[in-house]
Amino acid sequence: SAASDVYKRQGRTEMEIKVIKAILSSPRIKQKELAEQVGISVSTIQRTIKKLVKEGKIVRVNGKRDGYWKVL
């Protein structure tokens, strides 16, 4: 898709693209659900999310429990 192509040009890995797409389609998704959907472990999801947050690609809005992810 066009979004995948844009992210690939930005040097995103396939896994990062899958995580971003999952967040776009379901902003309130939990890490466990993300892991199941993408097909990787929760710890890998946590590392990937940490990297994307650090790079300013995604942000958590309204905290852990009641919050949601926003792709920037």
Side-chain angles (χ1 to χ4, degrees), residues 23-24 26-31 34 49-50 52-53 58-61 63-64 67-72:
I23 288 171
L24 280 171
S26 181
R28 293 190 183 278
I29 195 164
K30 294 174 173 55
Q31 288 183 349
L34 258 177
I49 285 176
K50 197 173 184 180
L52 291 170
V53 168
I58 61 173
V59 67
R60 186 73 179 174
V61 181
K64 286 185 178 183
Y68 61 93
W69 292 104
K70 184 175 180 183
V71 178
L72 304 174

Side-chain angles (χ1 to χ4, degrees), residues 30-62:
K30 294 174 173 55
Q31 288 183 349
K32 187 172 189 280
E33 294 166 343
L34 258 177
E36 289 166 5
Q37 199 170 316
V38 178
I40 55 177
S41 70
V42 174
S43 58
T44 303
I45 284 290
Q46 289 170 338
R47 263 196 316 278
T48 303
I49 285 176
K50 197 173 184 180
K51 180 177 185 237
L52 291 170
V53 168
K54 188 178 175 190
E55 293 174 356
K57 299 299 175 195
I58 61 173
V59 67
R60 186 73 179 174
V61 181
N62 294 336

